[in-house]
Amino acid sequence: MLVSSDRLAKPNEKIPHKTFQVPYKAGFVEDLLIRPSLEGGKYTIGWNYLKIQLVMCECLLNNTELLQELKKFDLIVFDAFAPCGVLLSEVLNIPNVMIVTGSPNDIFAPYRKSPLPLSYVPLRGSGFPSNMTFIERVRNVLKYCFGRVLMDLFFIRTMDEIKVKFNINPERSYSESFSDSALVIFLADFALDFSQPLLPGLSIS
């Protein structure tokens, strides 16, 4: 298990911990993410989150000693909120399993090979009901397109720059690497987390 220097890892005989240093003081998550969230600055949260992840990713990829230790493992399991897991998997040439907290209906769905018929299933956070009207379906599509443009301009392009900087298969885009997970696990209750209609031909037992 990898942890940053923001929190001290408790020793555990069953789960070994390795730490890597990041240039942040303790409590930076509260200052950069939680406080803006309480103040309603969703764009500030997104920008701060991206900067944090980029710094942590560079610190991890620059730690050659830690990377050498990780080469002995056969599988990487990482949280989708830590996008550097994709690059770490590619650097070490080890398959990865992505853990997604929440339902699959967001702008990252195509990269996770998850079906997302926009005229049928509302985007997570859209506030639209499962039985959308025609206007809500159109707004759902536009909301998705706008989100994808922002994601490609800021997130994907930035991660591509890191791939080039560290020479991590620069001929492949981050989008391609992101879609290579051996398994994607969604930690969400279908009915309670985000109710949505069943796709035609599907059933849940």
Side-chain angles (χ1 to χ4, degrees):
M1 177 179 290
L2 291 178
V3 293
S4 73
S5 58
D6 179 48
R7 294 182 179 179
L8 294 177
K10 296 181 180 179
N12 189 306
E13 295 180 357
K14 296 182 179 180
I15 305 177
H17 290 74
K18 298 292 183 181
T19 62
F20 62 96
Q21 299 298 316
V22 295
Y24 289 113
K25 295 180 180 179
F28 72 91
V29 173
E30 288 77 5
D31 294 334
L32 298 177
L33 298 179
I34 296 179
R35 184 172 293 114
S37 176
L38 296 175
E39 295 172 352
K42 60 180 181 179
Y43 293 109
T44 303
I45 298 170
W47 183 248
N48 288 347
Y49 170 76
L50 177 59
K51 290 192 295 184
I52 290 172
Q53 291 301 323
L54 292 178
V55 170
M56 288 190 171
C57 192
E58 293 203 13
C59 290
L60 176 58
L61 295 175
N62 276 319
N63 194 326
T64 54
E65 182 180 347
L66 179 57
L67 293 179
Q68 286 297 323
E69 292 186 45
L70 295 176
K71 285 184 177 180
K72 63 183 179 182
F73 293 96
D74 301 317
L75 183 70
I76 293 176
V77 180
F78 72 98
D79 192 296
F81 280 104
C84 197
V86 173
L87 300 185
L88 183 62
S89 170
E90 201 164 14
V91 166
L92 303 176
N93 195 26
I94 299 174
N96 70 76
V97 173
M98 184 187 302
I99 307 295
V100 181
T101 304
S103 52
N105 48 325
D106 59 18
I107 57 176
F108 289 98
Y111 298 128
R112 296 168 182 156
K113 300 176 182 176
S114 174
L116 183 63
L118 294 169
S119 62
Y120 195 69
V121 177
L123 282 173
R124 190 196 316 171
S126 66
F128 298 141
S130 58
N131 55 339
M132 293 185 289
T133 64
F134 174 75
I135 298 300
E136 287 171 336
R137 295 173 196 271
V138 172
R139 291 174 59 192
N140 196 49
V141 173
L142 293 176
K143 188 178 182 71
Y144 170 82
C145 293
F146 178 70
R148 280 295 300 273
V149 168
L150 290 180
M151 182 182 69
D152 290 341
L153 282 176
F154 296 102
F155 176 67
I156 299 297
R157 181 177 295 181
T158 304
M159 297 306 289
D160 281 337
E161 291 174 357
I162 290 184
K163 282 176 65 69
V164 172
K165 179 179 180 179
F166 288 92
N167 196 30
I168 306 172
N169 294 334
E171 68 282 356
R172 300 182 72 227
S173 68
Y174 180 79
S175 301
E176 293 175 292
S177 303
F178 194 49
S179 302
D180 276 350
S181 293
L183 179 66
V184 179
I185 301 175
F186 293 95
L187 302 180
D189 185 282
F190 184 87
L192 301 179
D193 184 74
F194 191 94
S195 58
Q196 56 181 283
L198 282 174
L199 300 179
L202 296 182
S203 63
I204 291 183
S205 57

